[in-house]
Amino acid sequence: MRMVFIGPPGAGKGTQAERLIAAHKMAHLSTGDMLRAARDAKTPLGLKANEYMSAGALVPDAIIIDLIAERLKQPDCRGGYLLDGFPRTIAQAEALDAMLAAAGTPLDVVLELAVPEDELFRRLAGRGRADDNPEVIRQRLVAYRNQTAPLLDYYWGKGLLKSVDGLGTVEEIFGRIEAALAAVW
Ligand code: AMP
């Protein structure tokens, strides 16, 4: 299964992604995790990316597209993968489509984890990560609304989108995700 997992910051994507990985054989490709690792290792890419991350802005498409193109070439991706936090812009989605079309390995499904904005703000404010101060949170939600939410229409148009209600317990939400994916495996 090659899937994209889309949801606003604070929707619980990371938690649900861990569950999916544990239950099914898929590589977990989180661009946020890759960028944080690069930042902590103080690589040039990581330090550059951190200028954007710390402001709640998206890292430029060219950086992210190169990062994911390299990652998708790794052997663990052959058995399927879950893209978590990528693509986040239409340009990234188009680049991904082109890469996957060239390889003859199209996406199977795009899963949206839907959570209302007021609930997201509440959750993020309680999380305590460095990029979780109120102004940065606001910027990240704005980036989602303006740059990432348009992907929902994009993938809907391709017949790939499934939406799951992200309110409830971790168990309830995981059950909904598994039900939505049942027809795809
Ligand atoms: P995340 O852990 O997915 O919320 O990502 C944390 C931060 O990394 C985001 O707020 C962005 O600054 C950056 N980032 C992660 N993935 C992407 C992406 N696909 N495009 C641009 N920026 C990204």
Side-chain angles (χ1 to χ4, degrees), residues 35-165:
L35 294 171
R36 280 185 288 276
R39 177 195 64 195
D40 294 348
K42 298 193 164 52
T43 67
L45 182 146
L47 295 175
K48 182 81 203 150
N50 191 47
E51 293 171 19
Y52 299 89
M53 296 163 77
S54 59
L58 295 185
V59 173
D61 288 332
I63 294 180
I64 294 286
I65 290 166
D66 282 354
L67 192 69
I68 213 78
E70 285 309 308
R71 185 65 186 86
L72 286 172
K73 289 182 195 155
Q74 302 302 311
D76 65 323
C77 292
R78 284 187 209 133
Y81 48 79
L82 185 159
L83 283 166
D84 172 4
F86 176 90
R88 261 187 163 87
T89 64
I90 295 283
Q92 291 178 18
E94 288 173 347
L96 177 66
D97 278 351
M99 276 180 234
L100 298 185
T105 55
L107 290 174
D108 297 303
V109 66
V110 175
L111 192 82
E112 180 205 6
L113 194 55
V115 176
E117 250 190 44
D118 54 346
E119 169 69 11
L120 295 171
F121 199 87
R122 243 177 15 86
R123 290 186 192 179
L124 287 165
R127 200 159 76 170
R129 220 164 70 181
D131 55 354
D132 280 349
N133 79 57
E135 179 50 24
V136 176
I137 292 172
R138 209 182 59 76
Q139 284 307 325
R140 293 171 67 214
L141 292 173
V142 167
Y144 181 79
R145 196 192 307 134
N146 293 343
Q147 293 172 272
T148 307
L151 293 179
L152 300 173
D153 272 350
Y154 177 88
Y155 285 122
W156 175 260
K158 293 180 181 287
L160 288 172
L161 186 71
K162 291 185 186 289
S163 257
V164 165
D165 174 4

